Amino acid sequence: MKVIAINGSPKPGGNTYTALKAVCDELEKNGIETEIVNVGNLKLTGCRGCGYCSKNNGKCVLDDGLNEIAAKVREADGLVVGTPVYYAGINGTLKSFLDRLYYTSSASMRFKPAASLAVLRRSGGVTSIEDINRFFLFSEMIITPTRYWPVIHGQTPGQVSLDTEGMQIARGIGNNMAYLLKMQAESKVEKPAMEPKETMNFIR
Ligand SMILES: Cc1cc2nc3c(=O)[nH]c(=O)nc-3n(C[C@H](O)[C@H](O)[C@H](O)COP(=O)(O)O)c2cc1C
């Protein structure tokens, strides 16, 4: 079993990375392989809404690294997304990444365990995890339960380690996601069938 952890921060060794590493360390202790993928330092542009991916097996027309990461996420059994809080929301590069990841790969996400976390100096944590969880809910992912909202405090790189309660929440995400993954691996229950999609807009 493998979990991909997405680091939205432009800082590959910053606070978001430190928090994601704590999640991944617990998953690894449970025998689950992990990989942290930095997206915040890539030059990812926003979705063009061109529809190319829907006609080309989920391949994005833009050649900037998204397709390679999307392939990893599709193959993975679970997904963790971490963001630094920028103006009480997720950072811009992560938003571009998630729009395109979910537009190209939403169908592969169904019932996979997912978790979000936000790191921040002071305010805007809960709105930021809600920004990420909306992607999970749209794609019928199972949101990993946490002991408290997964918001961890720190400003300069490494400071999140001082938020001992926050780091405990991060470890809890790893353990709880491992539990969900093991339950799924042992379950004989079939996933519910999907009805053909009903699409309706409000233009009459
Ligand atoms: C453009 C920008 C906007 C920010 N906005 C907020 C904010 O709204 N609330 C907050 O508490 N911290 C804010 N911060 C601080 C970062 O969230 C904080 O330093 C975080 O630990 C950075 O994580 P990183 O090291 O993984 O990049 C902001 C930082 C930047 C650069």
Side-chain angles (χ1 to χ4, degrees):
M1 282 187 283
K2 183 163 179 180
V3 169
I4 298 291
I6 299 295
N7 178 12
S9 170
K11 295 175 188 153
N15 285 322
T16 312
Y17 174 85
T18 303
L20 288 171
K21 180 81 172 61
V23 176
C24 290
D25 285 350
E26 294 307 307
L27 284 161
E28 298 263 351
K29 280 184 204 163
N30 280 279
I32 293 158
E33 196 188 334
T34 65
E35 182 180 348
I36 299 178
V37 179
N38 297 306
V39 304
N41 57 353
L42 302 179
K43 291 196 172 95
L44 294 172
T45 56
C47 179
R48 289 186 179 175
C50 64
Y52 179 91
C53 58
S54 61
K55 297 180 201 103
N56 290 278
N57 271 335
K59 186 175 186 289
C60 181
V61 70
L62 300 169
D63 183 20
D64 57 6
L66 180 281
N67 285 318
E68 291 74 10
I69 303 170
K72 285 178 191 239
V73 173
R74 284 184 209 162
E75 275 174 31
D77 303 288
L79 178 67
V80 185
V81 178
T83 188
V85 172
Y86 281 9
Y87 292 95
I90 61 175
N91 65 307
T93 312
L94 182 62
K95 173 75 166 106
S96 294
F97 171 79
L98 290 175
D99 284 348
R100 289 170 57 203
L101 175 71
Y102 278 80
Y103 214 60
T104 56
S105 311
S106 184
S108 71
M109 309 279 189
R110 196 166 185 240
F111 293 119
K112 283 184 186 174
S116 58
L117 63 82
V119 308
L120 76 173
R121 186 184 74 82
R122 177 165 290 273
S123 301
V126 170
T127 46
S128 300
I129 57 171
E130 285 170 355
D131 284 348
I132 300 170
N133 289 352
R134 280 197 298 276
F135 287 94
F136 299 158
L137 287 169
F138 177 89
S139 297
E140 298 178 87
M141 300 185 89
I142 298 176
I143 298 181
T144 304
T146 59
R147 194 172 187 176
Y148 207 88
W149 296 284
V151 172
I152 310 171
H153 288 259
Q155 183 173 17
T156 51
Q159 266 186 352
V160 278
S161 302
L162 303 174
D163 179 1
T164 53
E165 184 174 348
M167 292 304 278
Q168 184 181 58
I169 294 165
R171 292 193 297 276
I173 293 173
N175 278 313
N176 290 357
M177 184 177 277
Y179 171 70
L180 293 177
L181 286 165
K182 288 177 193 173
M183 272 207 309
Q184 287 188 333
E186 293 197 9
S187 172
K188 293 184 175 55
V189 182
E190 298 272 324
K191 286 180 189 168
M194 249 182 163
E195 280 189 26
K197 188 166 163 38
E198 189 77 43
T199 303
M200 197 204 99
N201 61 31
F202 294 89
I203 300 163
R204 289 284 173 273

